[in-house]
Amino acid sequence: MVHNGVIKISCLILIVLTIFSCDNKSSIPLANKSDTKKPYKDVPKFNADSAFLYIQKQVDFGPRVPDSKAHSECHDYLVDKFSTFGANVETQLDYVERYDGLRMRMKNIIATYNPNFSKRILLCAHWDSRYLADNDSINIEKPIDGANDGGSGVGVLLEIARQISLYPISIGVDIILFDVEDQGQPNNVNKQVAHTWCLGSQYWSRNPHEERYFADYGILLDMVGGKDAQFTKEGISRKFASRIVDKVWGIARKNGFSNFFVSQETPPIIDDHLYINNLIHIPTINIVEYNDTTHNKFNAHHHKHSDNMDIISKKTLHAVGQTVLEVLYSE
Ligand code: AHN
Ligand code: ZN
């Protein structure tokens, strides 16, 4: 026979448990129900302070000119960061020839999330910085910091990688940092030769890291950190990927970034996206600053020593980073 007291205590415990479980049922499931019925995709919050620090770190290595110590150290830093953020990382290594015949060791850095997913988006930027300051009036032969031209696109992509590591994403994402984009023919040479820029992206587009690599579309970031920057609908982007241009500019407008993402249409420019579109045929847009007041229509500090940390704006980084994050997480 079981003791009467034991039965009484057991009943008491049962009653208490029932009351608590009832209380749970009445308060939690309602919220759960509405969540599962109407799923919404949360977009992570882009942290511009973080992106800014990633740019500072690159600049602190010194100019990232191919074959320099700073270039080598920055390469190792970038590979390490992407690994820390849970990506599969590889470096595509080979030699390419500069316009004047100088052989340069090229290192394209490729970071991959969800390698087996067929739906993929390609994000890219160049990570090298220019070996001279041919738009400047002094110290033309000295390399530039390239905080905006080189540093900014990489800084935004590192912060996006960090967000992907915190908030798992349901599509494949490939982040490619192209090397030797910015070692093209100087503007004081009178016989201008075609295709001297974007050597890393030209190489990758002809020799992708994976046979038959493809992505649904690509987004290139170039000079995305300048104060009060304006990003216009550039010609190559419109020609090959107008649907993506409209999608990105639409998401920017929805987020209140129309001061940065203006709806003006501007002429085509030679940049990494040109070769991705033409050679590997992935529809790719360029988010790149357009400036009507300068001679070459680029950022006022383009290829000058003043392209340093002083011209980097967290507001601009935030507008670009938050927009691209929403593009990714709403797919
Ligand atoms: C031209 O100078 C026409 N294209 C090079 C694009 C570039 C250089 N982007 C950054 N630096
Ligand atoms: Zn440049």
Side-chain angles (χ1 to χ4, degrees):
M1 261 298 265
V2 183
H3 197 274
N4 227 2
V6 174
I7 294 173
K8 274 180 191 163
I9 288 166
S10 301
C11 281
L12 209 84
I13 290 170
L14 250 175
I15 289 163
V16 169
L17 277 177
T18 308
I19 289 167
F20 270 94
S21 67
C22 275
D23 190 51
N24 277 344
K25 266 179 197 153
S26 63
S27 61
I28 294 171
L30 273 176
N32 276 343
K33 231 182 208 167
S34 62
D35 277 358
T36 48
K37 253 191 182 166
K38 212 178 145 210
Y40 61 92
K41 284 169 185 149
D42 251 335
V43 181
K45 299 274 171 281
F46 185 87
N47 187 326
D49 294 324
S50 170
F52 186 92
L53 286 174
Y54 296 145
I55 302 170
Q56 178 80 68
K57 182 79 185 177
Q58 293 170 74
V59 170
D60 285 348
F61 284 116
R64 283 81 62 214
V65 176
D67 292 306
S68 68
K69 182 162 173 274
H71 185 267
S72 169
E73 288 176 349
C74 187
H75 164 270
D76 296 350
Y77 162 75
L78 295 171
V79 169
D80 179 70
K81 289 310 273 187
F82 282 124
S83 303
T84 302
F85 299 148
N88 292 344
V89 196
E90 61 184 287
T91 297
Q92 186 177 51
L93 208 159
D94 209 339
Y95 290 87
V96 291
E97 235 181 62
R98 203 168 69 175
Y99 66 90
D100 57 355
L102 180 71
R103 225 164 78 104
M104 301 189 118
R105 202 169 143 89
M106 170 207 76
K107 294 176 175 180
N108 289 331
I109 301 166
I110 301 152
T112 292
Y113 291 96
N114 297 329
N116 299 322
F117 289 22
S118 59
K119 180 168 183 168
R120 315 200 63 76
I121 296 177
L122 167 65
L123 304 176
C124 46
H126 75 91
W127 74 275
D128 64 314
S129 61
R130 185 145 177 78
Y131 76 106
L132 43 70
D134 47 340
N135 285 339
D136 217 322
S137 47
I138 51 155
N139 293 326
I140 290 171
E141 71 291 345
K142 292 211 172 89
I144 62 170
D145 277 0
N148 194 31
D149 191 359
S152 65
V154 173
V156 168
L157 292 182
L158 277 178
E159 171 58 7
I160 286 174
R162 191 178 73 90
Q163 293 297 339
I164 293 175
S165 78
L166 296 171
Y167 303 95
I169 194 158
S170 55
I171 53 166
V173 177
D174 303 295
I175 299 176
I176 306 190
L177 304 183
F178 293 116
D179 198 3
V180 206
E181 186 271 353
D182 225 353
Q183 318 304 324
Q185 203 175 22
N187 52 23
N188 59 2
V189 176
N190 35 22
K191 254 202 289 171
Q192 286 290 322
V193 177
H195 310 301
T196 69
W197 302 88
C198 311
L199 300 190
S201 59
Q202 291 192 52
Y203 181 97
W204 176 82
S205 298
R206 293 188 173 99
N207 316 279
H209 62 293
E210 221 176 69
E211 240 189 308
R212 282 190 284 278
Y213 173 81
F214 202 71
D216 294 47
Y217 60 89
I219 300 175
L220 170 66
L221 306 181
D222 191 12
M223 296 181 274
V224 290
K227 193 176 177 298
D228 300 323
Q230 295 212 318
F231 307 109
T232 54
K233 301 178 172 183
E234 175 271 340
I236 300 291
S237 310
R238 286 185 283 110
K239 178 179 173 190
F240 290 96
S242 61
R243 202 175 50 83
I244 309 308
V245 170
D246 293 342
K247 178 195 190 82
V248 171
W249 265 249
I251 287 174
R253 188 192 314 122
K254 204 196 76 180
N255 280 278
F257 301 137
S258 288
N259 289 346
F260 295 99
F261 288 80
V262 300
S263 59
Q264 188 187 351
E265 298 187 347
T266 54
I269 67 161
I270 296 166
D271 210 340
D272 293 319
H273 69 317
L274 171 66
Y275 298 98
I276 301 171
N277 279 305
N278 268 335
L279 298 174
I280 194 168
H281 309 297
I282 296 168
T284 301
I285 68 159
N286 192 5
I287 300 177
V288 58
E289 178 175 350
Y290 179 85
N291 190 328
D292 221 350
T293 69
T294 62
H295 74 285
N296 59 13
K297 310 294 179 194
F298 286 128
N299 176 281
H301 308 278
H302 183 243
H303 298 176
K304 291 180 181 174
H305 293 293
S306 53
D307 182 354
N308 57 35
M309 287 311 290
D310 298 345
I311 70 160
I312 301 298
S313 154
K314 289 180 185 175
K315 275 190 184 158
T316 306
L317 296 173
H318 179 253
V320 173
Q322 192 60 56
T323 298
V324 176
L325 267 184
E326 179 154 342
V327 170
L328 294 181
Y329 281 83
S330 61
E331 279 295 349

